[in-house]
């Protein structure tokens, strides 16, 4: 079935966008395809590729956005993906996207593809920047020298776009798909394209000896300064972080209110005459699952608004460069550090943000450690428990120590697993110029990331919430999460495993709820103890010691953050085995840490 979905209809043309990284392939793709684009599986590929069908001239064409490559014969994961794609999917036209300001280094790729037999068209993108830097390209001469159609455009601002559409349509009139065996033979021939490129460059391109941008150089002097740069970066991250979560919290609250209203005024009344268990399943199971998913929407939207700003402006590459040497000791890179910091707000968008990493190994390692970032949902639990058991004088230190543990768990995991996830991404220090993001870019990105999350996570999360509902409400006739429900039995059965950690059965049940979302842990404690607020805090304080409470918090910090994170891990890694590893490892680390802490403090006579 998967194969069938990607076999183009007989009258359907296929155009592949190929080019070096950051030449604007995706920007052009988005402009071409708008909202019709879909991200999907391709047979034999480890990454998802975006594709869409659009009318072009007299044809329907499927456009595919491929990852960036430096060389047709290169060895990185991405180059592998492109090779595999060109060998397994017939294409009618390869649109080679080139950053016009770097045409001297990029043209050879177009010649390589042409020499390998692929029907090509050359798109000189970033015409706006080329003009600003004084790079002059005579497209007519270039076209003649290469023997290929050439057009120049600015994909970001839309300049020259309509001519490109026309040219694509015309080129398709005569383009014939390259048979797969010819494509393979062409790719096996291994040419470097340098000669043809040099001749064409000499004939058609005028480049100033040095492209200078004094304005950017002056900013970089401070942004990349060894002493000024890092604090500036941290201050900037703190700002972004605050912006995301101060704006996000009221939005989340508002959304929660809307869901409450729906529940109280619509679904509740509609279900009054339904049997109790059914009403509870719909309202406390399915409906709660949906509102859990919805709660992430504002954070994801805001996160990607800021992420687009940071990435598009060019600051992201610079920040990553600053922290790169530090992170490389852990087998990570600077971009991973930025995502790790983002994870302290919410793990879900941070995991999605790792998509900027092109090496699968690097990405998996980064995704393995992000869930240990103490996110704002866990913070709520800690604030509640700390207030219940620790005096105001030491409370801040307790919280600070949890942040320390969060960093330590990250570090330990990275060091332990770095061998398993080697990165073969070439480290290319190429700082993009500073660029002003457009509103269109920001809106498009945050909207599509939100859709991506909803489409991939909803089913998984709702099923998980319903399972927890079943645990805490079956068999029927018992008080929710009571000792004679399935959850009560599980809590009892797990007691031997948790007693050495100082965690009583009531809190084990709370941990089961916490598997769904940390936001509901306190609420679940209220249900389990049938108490609220101060009374609940007193009851917990009376039941456990501070050492047991800290052990509970350690466990809460380190084990699975929430179902949404698990769903995101699964959809981003596309591997159940990897998702399972992440679950098992975090559970094991949580258990070991809590055990070591609780037994240690008992030995010291503190528990
Ligand atoms: N100035 C300018 N920037 C562009 C243009 N097209 C793309 N960009 C920027 O170049 C960067 C890389 O674009 P992207 O589409 O992600 O490149 P890809 O790696 O080839 O998919 C982004 O910051 C874009 O906003 C353009 O025509 N002019
Ligand atoms: Mg891209």
């Amino acid at each position: 079935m998967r194969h069938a979905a990607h076999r183009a209809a007989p009258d359907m043309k296929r155009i592949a966008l190929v080019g070096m990284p950051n030449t604007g392939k995706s920007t052009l793709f988005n402009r071409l395809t708008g909202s019709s684009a879909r991200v999907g599986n391709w047979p034999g590929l480890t990454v998802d590729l975006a594709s869409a069908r659009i009318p072009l001239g007299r044809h329907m064409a499927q456009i595919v956005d491929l990852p960036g490559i430096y060389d047709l014969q290169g060895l990185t994961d991405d180059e592998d993906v492109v090779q595999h794609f060109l060998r397994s999917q017939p294409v009618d036209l390869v649109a080679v996207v080139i950053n016009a300001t770097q045409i001297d280094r990029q043209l050879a790729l177009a010649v390589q593809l042409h020499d390998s037999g692929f029907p090509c068209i050359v798109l000189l993108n970033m015409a706006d920047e080329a003009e600003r830097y004084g790079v002059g390209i005579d497209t007519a001469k270039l076209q003649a020298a290469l023997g290929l159609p050439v057009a120049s455009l600015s994909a970001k601002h839309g300049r020259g776009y309509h001519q490109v559409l026309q040219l694509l349509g015309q080129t398709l009139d005569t383009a014939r798909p390259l048979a797969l065996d010819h494509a393979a033979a062409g790719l096996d021939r291994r040419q470097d394209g340098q000669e043809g490129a040099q001749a064409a460059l000499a004939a058609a391109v005028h480049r100033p000896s040095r492209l200078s941008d004094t304005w950017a150089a002056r900013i970089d002097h401070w942004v990349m300064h060894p002493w000024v740069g890092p604090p500036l970066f941290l201050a900037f991250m703190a700002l972004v972080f605050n912006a995301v979560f101060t704006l996000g919290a009221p939005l989340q609250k508002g959304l929660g209110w809307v869901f409450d209203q729906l529940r109280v005024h619509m679904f509740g009344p509609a279900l009054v005459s339904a049997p109790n268990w059914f009403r509870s399943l719909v309202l406390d199971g399915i409906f709660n699952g949906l509102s859990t998913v919805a709660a992430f929407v504002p954070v994801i939207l805001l996160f990607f608004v800021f992420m687009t700003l940071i990435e598009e402006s060019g600051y992201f590459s610079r920040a990553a460069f600053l922290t790169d040497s530090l992170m490389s000791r852990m087998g990570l890179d600077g971009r991973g550090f930025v995502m790790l910091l983002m994870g302290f707000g919410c793990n879900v968008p941070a995991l999605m943000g790792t998509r900027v990493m092109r090496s699968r190994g690097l990405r998996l390692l980064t995704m393995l450690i992000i869930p240990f970032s103490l996110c704002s949902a866990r913070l709520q639990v800690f604030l509640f428990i700390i207030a219940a058991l620790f005096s105001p004088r030491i409370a801040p230190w307790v919280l600070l120590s949890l942040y320390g543990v969060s960093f330590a768990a990250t570090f330990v995991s990275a060091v332990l697993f770095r061998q398993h996830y080697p990165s073969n991404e070439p480290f290319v220090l190429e700082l993009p110029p500073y660029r002003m993001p457009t509103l269109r870019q920001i809106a498009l990105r945050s909207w599509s990331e939100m859709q991506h999350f909803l489409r991939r996570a909803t089913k998984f999360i709702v099923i998980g919430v319903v399972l927890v509902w079943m645990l805490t409400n079956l068999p029927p006739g018992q008080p929710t999460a009571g000792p004679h429900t399935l959850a009560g039995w599980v809590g009892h059965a797990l007691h031997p495993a948790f007693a050495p950690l100082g965690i009583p059965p009531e809190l084990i049940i709370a941990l089961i709820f916490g598997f769904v979302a940390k936001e509901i842990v306190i609420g679940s404690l209220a249900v389990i103890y049938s108490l609220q607020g101060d009374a609940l805090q007193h009851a917990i304080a009376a039941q456990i010691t501070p050492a047991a409470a800290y052990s509970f918090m350690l466990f809460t910090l380190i084990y699975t953050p929430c179902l949404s994170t698990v769903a995101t891990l699964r959809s981003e890694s596309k591997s159940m085995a990897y998702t399972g590893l992440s679950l098992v490892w975090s559970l094991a680390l949580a258990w070991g840490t809590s055990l070591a802490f609780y037994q240690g403090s008992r030995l010291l006579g503190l528990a």
Side-chain angles (χ1 to χ4, degrees):
M1 274 321 286
R2 255 197 203 169
H3 287 255
H6 291 286
R7 194 177 300 136
D11 52 340
M12 170 83 67
K13 305 279 187 177
R14 181 180 280 136
I15 302 180
L17 299 180
V18 178
M20 293 198 185
N22 303 314
T23 51
K25 295 178 296 300
S26 301
T27 310
L28 175 62
F29 177 83
N30 288 336
R31 194 170 276 280
L32 282 167
T33 61
S35 56
S36 64
R38 286 287 171 270
V39 174
N41 276 310
W42 290 78
L45 296 189
T46 49
V47 295
D48 285 342
L49 297 179
S51 69
R53 292 161 188 211
I54 57 163
L56 268 180
R58 298 185 292 112
H59 314 275
M60 273 308 277
Q62 180 190 40
I63 316 278
V64 188
D65 185 18
L66 289 171
I69 58 170
Y70 288 98
D71 190 287
L72 206 48
Q73 266 96 38
L75 299 171
T76 66
D77 288 355
D78 280 346
E79 284 160 333
D80 206 53
V81 165
V82 172
Q83 281 243 0
H84 189 99
F85 184 87
L86 292 177
R87 284 171 192 269
S88 63
Q89 306 290 328
V91 291
D92 294 88
L93 186 60
V94 174
V96 189
V97 182
I98 284 178
N99 175 347
T101 67
Q102 302 179 348
I103 188 171
D104 51 331
R105 277 185 280 152
Q106 302 197 351
L107 196 59
L109 183 62
V111 177
Q112 249 185 342
L113 280 156
H114 182 51
D115 288 351
S116 301
F118 289 95
C120 293
I121 172 173
V122 176
L123 301 177
L124 301 171
N125 191 29
M126 312 217 183
D128 53 319
E129 287 185 1
E131 190 172 304
R132 204 166 66 232
Y133 294 134
V135 179
I137 304 173
D138 186 330
T139 42
K141 280 189 189 158
L142 191 62
Q143 186 156 321
L146 293 172
L148 288 174
V150 176
S152 110
L153 83 156
S154 164
K156 178 169 165 181
H157 301 289
R159 218 176 73 190
Y161 174 65
H162 288 285
Q163 288 88 311
V164 166
L165 278 185
Q166 252 181 6
L167 190 60
L168 283 173
Q170 287 166 9
T171 314
L172 283 181
D173 287 344
T174 52
R176 294 275 159 275
L178 183 61
L180 287 179
D181 47 341
H182 287 132
L187 288 169
D188 288 337
R189 244 179 286 135
R190 305 193 173 275
Q191 32 246 327
D192 72 354
Q194 291 298 341
E195 228 170 282
Q198 287 311 325
L201 285 168
V205 178
H206 162 77
R207 256 181 130 256
S209 55
R210 204 175 133 253
L211 306 183
S212 67
D213 195 341
T214 47
W215 187 75
R218 243 174 268 160
I219 299 181
D220 275 344
H221 175 72
W222 293 111
V223 165
M224 312 270 288
H225 191 282
W227 298 110
V228 181
L232 206 64
F233 166 61
L234 286 180
F236 181 74
M237 288 299 290
L239 197 78
V240 167
F241 205 79
N242 270 308
V244 170
F245 293 99
T246 44
L247 291 173
L251 285 175
Q252 252 170 339
K253 257 213 185 98
L255 210 59
W257 181 84
V258 170
F259 269 82
D260 275 351
Q261 296 303 307
L262 283 176
R263 181 186 174 127
V264 172
H265 296 298
M266 240 177 88
F267 294 102
L271 291 168
V272 263
S273 50
N276 264 342
W277 68 267
F278 183 75
R279 193 172 56 229
S280 171
L281 171 64
V282 172
L283 293 181
D284 302 324
I286 299 168
F287 192 77
N288 269 357
L290 289 175
S291 51
T292 307
V293 175
F296 281 91
V297 167
V299 190
I300 290 177
L301 280 175
L302 282 165
F303 176 90
F304 281 104
V305 165
F306 284 95
M307 221 30 234
T308 313
L309 278 171
I310 300 172
E311 269 178 35
E312 291 296 326
S313 65
Y315 187 63
F316 187 68
S317 308
R318 288 162 171 87
F321 177 70
L322 275 178
T323 49
D324 211 84
S325 62
L326 180 75
M327 296 305 282
S328 66
R329 274 175 235 167
M330 292 202 262
L332 299 165
D333 78 352
R335 294 167 303 181
F337 186 70
V338 179
M339 290 309 146
L340 208 56
L341 284 187
M342 284 295 181
F344 281 88
C346 177
N347 296 174
V348 170
L351 289 171
M352 295 165 73
T354 61
R355 236 177 285 142
V356 290
M357 295 173 192
R358 301 299 327 173
S359 150
R360 184 165 166 85
L362 184 62
R363 202 174 160 219
L364 291 182
L365 185 63
T366 310
M367 291 205 295
L368 197 66
I369 63 171
I370 284 176
F372 296 117
S373 298
L374 196 166
C375 67
S376 55
R378 277 173 273 190
L379 181 59
Q380 291 170 28
V381 181
F382 300 155
L383 291 176
F384 184 86
I385 301 279
I386 289 174
L389 279 124
F390 297 89
S391 75
R393 202 169 43 80
I394 64 162
W397 300 105
V398 175
L399 185 60
L400 194 66
S401 73
L402 289 169
Y403 277 101
V405 172
S406 166
F407 270 112
T410 307
F411 182 79
V412 167
S413 306
V415 170
L416 275 178
F417 286 95
R418 58 179 295 179
Q419 253 77 40
H420 294 275
Y421 298 110
S423 158
N424 63 350
E425 186 161 326
F427 182 72
V428 185
L429 172 64
E430 186 165 346
L431 297 181
Y434 285 104
R435 294 186 174 119
M436 190 60 100
T438 62
L439 278 177
R440 179 197 169 93
Q441 287 179 312
I442 295 173
L444 200 70
R445 175 82 182 277
S446 35
W447 187 252
S448 64
E449 293 285 0
M450 182 198 73
Q451 281 187 317
H452 184 82
F453 172 76
L454 290 179
R455 206 175 298 133
R456 299 275 171 114
T458 306
K459 198 167 59 181
F460 194 92
I461 294 170
V462 170
I463 291 173
V465 173
V466 169
L467 282 179
V468 170
W469 177 87
M470 286 163 69
L471 275 178
T472 49
N473 285 279
L474 297 180
Q478 296 293 327
T480 299
H484 299 294
T485 59
L486 292 176
W489 295 337
V490 173
H492 189 73
L494 289 178
H495 189 58
F498 282 85
L501 318 186
I503 299 177
E506 289 86 348
L507 294 187
I508 301 176
I509 299 172
L511 289 174
I512 297 175
F513 278 103
F515 184 74
V516 172
K518 295 295 172 281
E519 283 92 341
I520 63 174
V521 167
I522 303 301
S524 74
L525 285 172
V527 172
I528 297 162
Y529 285 86
S530 306
L531 293 170
Q532 299 240 323
D534 284 350
L536 177 59
Q537 285 181 326
H538 287 308
I540 294 174
Q543 192 190 12
I544 56 174
T545 62
Y550 195 80
S551 168
F552 172 73
M553 289 194 289
L554 282 176
F555 200 93
T556 305
L557 168 61
I558 302 173
Y559 89 123
T560 318
C562 63
L563 260 176
S564 306
T565 301
V566 181
T568 309
L569 274 172
R570 194 190 61 131
S571 79
E572 296 294 329
S573 70
K574 300 207 285 171
S575 158
M576 263 330 255
Y578 172 83
T579 311
L581 170 75
S582 165
L583 282 177
V584 170
W585 167 240
S586 55
L587 259 181
L589 188 63
W591 193 81
T593 310
S594 291
L595 181 76
F597 172 81
Y598 189 68
Q599 293 304 325
S601 57
R602 273 179 47 148
L603 280 178
L604 297 174
L606 296 171

